[in-house]
Amino acid sequence: MFPNAGTQTTVEQRLLARKSKLVVEDFCDVKFVPEFPKKFEVEILSIGVHEVDDGLFDSDIEVRFNFKINDTTLSWEHHQIEPSAVPYHIGVRTNVLIHTPDDEISLEITGVEFDVNQNDPLPSFSRTFGQADQWWGTNVPNPPGFHSTLILENDEIKCEIFFKITAVPSEEKLIPGVFQQSIIT
């Protein structure tokens, strides 16, 4: 019996085919990883604070940062930011789906410092990452995927925000119509 290796093969036919002396089981991989879509995780890791100035109020500031990553906006708020040798942990993240080689990952950072009478704007940052720049997370040097805004500064704060972009492993797809895990020869 020579079973049809397409999608019409029944479970009984497969079990019988595996017992046949005419069948050689190579256990070849019958899956592939599609090139697109690709998924990337963008995580805002931390903020290093070098200086703050809350005017006449006190020695720390209250802040809210907004991180717009493509079409997703994430927020982080802290009510006692002061200069510190240890960065403040942020830890907000989202996944971005890239459908074509021309798609990009954009990051825009804005924020406000809360005061009694008014909210003061914090320094902003904007950057776009594209495949042509090899900024997809795996090709970025030392260590892979890690980035920094460099120093952001205004009258309220002098800081640096750290983030990373990493590729999420793609799911393997079965090759349509192939008899999984064996090759009939």
Side-chain angles (χ1 to χ4, degrees):
M1 174 180 149
F2 244 106
N4 178 356
T7 57
Q8 303 299 320
T9 306
T10 66
V11 173
E12 292 82 18
Q13 285 176 319
R14 285 183 244 163
L15 291 173
L16 188 58
R18 287 185 179 162
K19 292 178 185 176
S20 172
K21 294 181 181 193
L22 297 173
V23 174
V24 177
E25 291 185 343
D26 270 339
F27 295 106
C28 295
D29 198 4
V30 293
K31 299 177 183 177
F32 71 102
V33 177
E35 185 176 358
F36 289 99
K38 292 181 181 182
K39 188 185 291 186
F40 293 88
E41 180 183 73
V42 180
E43 181 180 8
I44 311 300
L45 300 167
S46 61
I47 178 172
V49 179
H50 305 288
E51 296 175 15
V52 298
D53 185 359
D54 203 14
L56 302 174
F57 296 109
D58 52 24
S59 61
D60 61 10
I61 62 174
E62 301 75 29
V63 300
R64 177 186 303 120
F65 279 99
N66 294 311
F67 308 97
K68 185 174 182 192
I69 304 163
N70 284 19
D71 295 327
T72 303
T73 300
L74 307 167
S75 292
W76 179 78
E77 200 168 296
H78 199 289
H79 294 279
Q80 200 170 6
I81 296 285
E82 52 192 12
S84 173
V86 178
Y88 290 86
H89 175 73
I90 296 177
V92 297
R93 66 182 74 184
T94 190
N95 286 329
V96 176
L97 200 58
I98 301 298
H99 297 281
T100 70
D102 297 329
D103 285 355
E104 298 175 325
I105 297 173
S106 63
L107 171 62
E108 182 180 332
I109 301 173
T110 58
V112 294
E113 188 265 327
F114 304 112
D115 275 331
V116 177
N117 297 331
Q118 71 179 34
N119 296 336
D120 296 320
L122 295 173
S124 62
F125 173 82
S126 180
R127 186 158 180 191
T128 300
F129 302 91
Q131 186 174 14
D133 304 319
Q134 296 189 5
W135 289 112
W136 289 120
T138 55
N139 297 325
V140 180
N142 303 322
F146 284 82
H147 303 278
S148 161
T149 59
L150 302 177
I151 298 296
L152 301 175
E153 185 175 9
N154 70 1
D155 292 342
E156 313 302 318
I157 192 169
K158 180 178 181 181
C159 65
E160 182 175 10
I161 298 176
F162 301 92
F163 58 98
K164 71 177 180 173
I165 301 172
T166 52
V168 176
S170 296
E171 290 184 28
E172 292 182 329
K173 305 275 185 195
L174 288 175
I175 298 172
V178 174
F179 188 57
Q180 188 174 358
Q181 292 187 331
S182 64
I183 305 295
I184 297 176
T185 59

